[in-house]
Amino acid sequence: MKKLSRNDKVVVLTGAGISAESGIRTFRDSGGLWENHKVEDVATWSGFEKNPALVWKFYRQRWEDSNATKPNAAHYALVDMEKYFAQHFCLITQNVDGLHRIAGSINPLEMHGNLNYCYCTSCRAKFDMKDTDAHVAIPLCPKCGAYLRPDIVWFGEIPYYLYEIENSLKKCDVFIIIGTSGSVYPAAGFVMTAKLMGAETIAINLDAPDNLSFIDEFHQGKSGTILPSLVKKWTAMV
Ligand code: OAD
Ligand code: ZN
């Protein structure tokens, strides 16, 4: 198993699996969110145009669910990693539940947005969900009255922070994926980029991810159990 040096540049990409032990449903596991909802209905702009109330119902529920949960041991292990590697550490997440921030991660790159925010489809003003009338069927912009939409990057839209992510992938020595099926691009391709740029690649996942062929070291199991002990070993924080 790889022992990391304090000067290694470490980039971590997390997905829904890291929040599973906090009680948040993943997308593609059995019982996952995409089993009961059509992606095109609730996670595309055209779905929102067709039925904004349905889309709001879906994200309002997910917002309420995630507000009722807490970070787990894996989220906290990443906070320890950030403290140890300091400016050499970069956390990228596909998750929109905000749990990395709540755990104490300082600047997770939330590339698919965050359920706690929404923005105006007309004037683009951004709001904290708590500051809007979130419980009406379709929340309206307090500034201009147009529809608000969840601050979620839907399919067909460009993820946030791609410039920062690309820079971190070019420089990284170790790239770690945690709790992600490796099936949604561009995130699923980051491991290939990192590997081709010379990084060591590690995965911690319940099932084999789709991009396993680019992984040097695979730890199969639950991240809440596996990650804290790996972090202790990697950083010799025993
Ligand atoms: P998925 O639901 O596709 O994959 C979750 C992965 O986590 C699976 O490979 C599981 O094996 C693994 N897993 C489940 N429980 C775990 C645990 N306790 N510990 C470790 N691993 C566990 O979720 P993502 O890969 O995050 O995008 O999905 C990527 C994107 O697809 C999401 O950001 C979302 C979705 O559609 C948008 O909504 C734009
Ligand atoms: Zn507005």
Side-chain angles (χ1 to χ4, degrees):
M1 186 209 301
K2 177 133 177 90
K3 165 94 166 63
L4 310 190
S5 129
R6 201 161 201 157
N7 290 323
D8 280 340
K9 295 184 183 65
V10 179
V11 179
V12 174
L13 170 71
T14 64
I18 197 169
S19 295
E21 288 156 83
S22 293
I24 294 181
R25 287 160 75 186
T26 62
F27 296 95
R28 294 172 184 79
D29 294 304
S30 128
L33 283 166
W34 294 155
E35 221 169 62
N36 302 320
H37 300 89
K38 279 196 185 148
V39 170
E40 56 273 29
D41 288 345
V42 296
T44 62
W45 173 250
S46 59
F48 183 78
E49 274 184 316
K50 232 182 275 163
N51 194 343
L54 173 79
V55 173
W56 264 113
K57 189 170 174 226
F58 177 72
Y59 287 100
R60 188 181 299 109
Q61 188 62 54
R62 290 185 59 202
W63 173 57
E64 283 169 358
D65 290 349
S66 80
N67 279 344
T69 62
K70 290 196 190 92
N72 64 58
H75 296 100
Y76 291 115
L78 292 179
V79 179
D80 290 341
M81 275 188 100
E82 184 169 39
K83 284 187 188 141
Y84 184 80
F85 292 103
Q87 78 275 18
H88 297 306
F89 183 78
C90 174
L91 174 59
I92 306 165
T93 187
Q94 299 164 89
N95 297 346
V96 295
D97 53 38
L99 289 180
H100 286 302
R101 278 181 201 282
I102 294 169
S105 289
I106 289 164
N107 187 26
L109 301 178
E110 293 172 320
M111 63 179 290
H112 289 167
N114 186 317
L115 286 167
N116 293 303
Y117 298 93
C118 57
Y119 67 91
C120 176
T121 53
S122 177
C123 75
R124 313 310 257 195
K126 187 171 165 174
F127 302 95
D128 193 310
M129 287 284 283
K130 284 193 265 140
D131 301 330
T132 63
D133 194 0
H135 294 279
V136 299
I138 309 170
L140 300 177
C141 176
K143 287 195 172 154
C144 76
Y147 286 169
L148 292 172
R149 59 164 281 178
D151 188 12
I152 300 294
V153 176
W154 287 326
F155 285 89
E157 298 180 323
I158 310 287
Y160 298 142
Y161 306 112
L162 288 184
Y163 176 76
E164 290 85 343
I165 291 171
E166 189 189 353
N167 279 340
S168 74
L169 293 178
K170 277 185 195 157
K171 287 185 283 194
C172 84
D173 299 304
V174 182
F175 182 73
I176 305 169
I177 60 171
I178 304 167
T180 176
S181 58
S183 57
V184 174
Y185 285 80
F190 296 166
V191 65
M192 182 183 82
T193 306
K195 174 119 186 99
L196 296 180
M197 300 296 288
E200 182 107 6
T201 54
I202 300 172
I204 297 134
N205 216 54
L206 202 52
D207 309 301
D210 291 358
N211 47 16
L212 186 66
S213 57
F214 294 101
I215 296 295
D216 299 315
E217 195 178 300
F218 177 36
H219 300 269
Q220 186 158 16
K222 292 187 173 183
S223 52
T225 315
I226 293 180
L227 189 63
S229 66
L230 280 176
V231 169
K232 281 194 185 127
K233 286 176 193 149
W234 285 335
T235 60
M237 288 158 68
V238 272

